[in-house]
Amino acid sequence: MTQHTSPSHPTADALTLTEKASLTSGAGDFVTEAVGPVPAVSMSDGPHGLRLPGEAGDGGQLDLRSAVPATCFPPAVALGSSWNAALAEEVAAAIAAEARDNGVHVVLGPGINIKRSPLCGRNFEYFSEDPLLTAELGGAMVRGLQRSGVGAALKHFAANNQETDRMRVSADIDERPLREIYLRAFERIVRRERPWSVMSAYNALNGTPLSENRRLLTDILRREWGFDGIVMSDWGAVRDRVAALSAGLDLQMPSTRGRTDAEVVRAVESGELAVEDLDAAVERLALFAHRAATGVPAGSGPVDHEEHHALARRAAEQCIVLLKNEQDLLPLDPGAGSLAVIGELARTPRCQGAGSSQVTPTRLDTPLDALRKTAGAAVEYAPGYRLDGTPDEELLEQAVRSAAASDTVVLFLGLPAQDESEGFDRDHLDLPAAQLTLLERVTEANPRTAVVLSNGGVVRTAPWHERVPALVEGWLLGQGGGTALARVLYGHAAPSGRLAETIPLRLEDAPCHLSFPGEAGHVRYGEGVFVGYRGHDRRGNDVAFPFGHGLTYTTFAYGDLAVARTPEGVIEVRLTVTNTGRRSGRETVQIYVGGPDDSHVARPPYELRGFAQVDLEPGRSQEVTVTFDRDDLACYSEREASWFVEGGVYTVAAGASSRDIRCSVPLTVDGDVSAARLTGRSTLGEWLAHPVGGPLLLEAFARGRGRQTDGATGALTDPVLRRFLAGMPLEVIAEFPQSPVPLAQLDDLCERAARTPSP
Ligand code: BGC
């Protein structure tokens, strides 16, 4: 076999072509090849616990059962609602400890795709509809894994926002929403946390499969963001191995048992694939394997599963969102009469979603057992419905009788496992019909009913939420969720979760509704940047519960909002938060920024730019500081092919949700100077708005003579005429007989505009 060498590739130089090729595909379902000096790397799903194939579930990749128990922590849908990055980091460190214990070097997660549609079947694996919140929580998970010596695989890169036709569909996205919404969390995490690996998505982006997408994998990920890890394919995502390698995909997963390795060898020998591209992938894989082999920090002890279960409970508590609580129905009072717990989901909870992320929990707390333990009095239980959806009159009537005979009811409703999974999207947001009937009958029999929801993707709560005084969103909470719910319902823990996604009134209100999930192999992201609350708020839709919403058992007041700029250009927002109620609790202060008013780009009223949490005893106040960079205010300009901060007066607002803005202050920001040259095709408006071109043009106008000057001055001072002309290219205006800048002087003006330094 010929040796292909290249001076800058020490590992590749030591390997034969065949060895190099074999290194760039898996040795098995979840392990890479050990070749020469490069050791094998073992991987496991992810993301909210380990999915470890063992003897009982040894059916290979298609066997989604995992035989080896591992702690099932709250999936991303729940963790996202904690808005607590420190918690996400702690959970990830615990997952890393279990990974190390099982010889796993890399956990396949976190999943940081944006929730574009509430129907996406895999929304339970993703954090939020907002890129900043996603980046903060996903970034914390990468940190937690990697500081514990276990690599992260940031997935699914990118724009994997639906399950329908996921292996073929092309997400067709304009550059601005692509950068601002769908790539933003990837960019932030890659730059800040340096993940060991990124997993390319199944789908295509604007026609090019992600696994073969040179622009994404090489130009943007590596060159722009400085990524130094490996790109691995999602399992089975590679169609053309040679095209993938030359685009920047280092590792095809899982193994193809040598079939595509031979294609790589042939492609190098025929010159179709540059050996330098293969060598570069080999070097990156060598670094990846080196990180895996040397990652384990000293002093990592054995895993304490009891401790991890306790963490799973504590984490779950912080993920529960109290959506509504009238008449102080919650917290439940153990001394206040009898309680009926209704709903099969109280006895048979769903703690996670289905698909590749499914963990076999080490144990499972059920809400029913936990409520029985906490209640202190007898608890009446009725299942009320069957999880397979089969109508059951007897169960219904029994539940109604229990409700009528009790002082208070806690009714567990939600989506059965078969309704949501990796691999398919839902086609509606409704709860099963039998559960809606039960809800109606139970609330008729006993209006003192608190509803607890279990679901991985949002469900429609309108109009029935009007009928219930208390509503708790319990998502899928992992193995400690049962105890966590009982503690929150009884007030042993204060609810502190906040919605990381909007609950719309109707599916039709979702901004992507008209173009989801696409057709004929394409899904057009027609709503642009107006995803989730950005779209609902811009259109002024009423929503059931807005992004960022969540109550607790006390209330908070905000005051003294001020914004300042540090010498380094960081924007610092300060405010004082006071607990104005009678119980202790946690507030999540959200900082939104809107504007500027005369913006040249379409914007939502407000976008989340930062947040902070504060725990306060009743009557206590604390100053809260949230910072963000001026660059965080940038929009992506397709014309400039770069991020661009518009100058002007922005509004910095502190809120308890995107719809509950408590106070705001203005912030004047100097804009970036356009790098684009002004030309004759630039409009009068663009010339006038330009810091160099504007004054030059006005000067040229002033130098114009007599009637012409009057005409031009008139045009600029008459507001209607000015708007009329603002959209015209200067070269068109220059042709007008009265133009103070004749066509002949235009080139000179453009030259001077390009030469003059900006102020
Ligand atoms: C999923 C990935 C997962 C992989 C390995 C794929 O089907 O999309 O998220 O990590 O399988 O199980």
Side-chain angles (χ1 to χ4, degrees), residues 21 24-25 238-245 252 256 260-261 263-264:
T24 61
S25 73
V238 171
R239 283 176 264 192
D240 180 335
R241 171 87 178 279
V242 173
L245 250 174
Q252 176 180 28
T256 61
T260 53
D261 296 349
E263 289 173 10
V264 171

Side-chain angles (χ1 to χ4, degrees), residues 45 51 122 155-156 166 199 202 234-235 356 422:
D45 281 302
R51 180 171 70 96
R122 228 173 161 179
K155 67 189 188 182
H156 309 87
R166 66 170 165 162
M199 186 191 290
Y202 283 127
D234 199 343
W235 270 231
S356 63
E422 176 180 342

Side-chain angles (χ1 to χ4, degrees), residues 18 39 55 87 172 185 192 591 599 613 655 735:
T18 310
E55 276 160 33
L87 179 71
D172 296 343
R192 293 185 176 192
I591 301 300
S599 177
Q613 297 190 316
E735 292 268 37

Side-chain angles (χ1 to χ4, degrees), residues 619-670:
R620 303 308 292 259
S621 299
Q622 194 173 311
E623 189 180 64
V624 174
T625 308
V626 175
T627 57
F628 56 89
D629 292 334
R630 172 190 173 276
D631 287 354
D632 291 343
L633 300 177
C635 290
Y636 194 84
S637 160
E638 202 163 342
R639 184 173 282 172
E640 308 271 337
S642 74
W643 293 93
F644 191 85
V645 177
E646 258 192 311
V649 183
Y650 290 71
T651 304
V652 175
S657 81
S658 85
R659 293 285 174 96
D660 184 6
I661 300 296
R662 304 285 179 85
C663 39
S664 65
V665 285
L667 171 71
T668 303
V669 175
D670 292 333

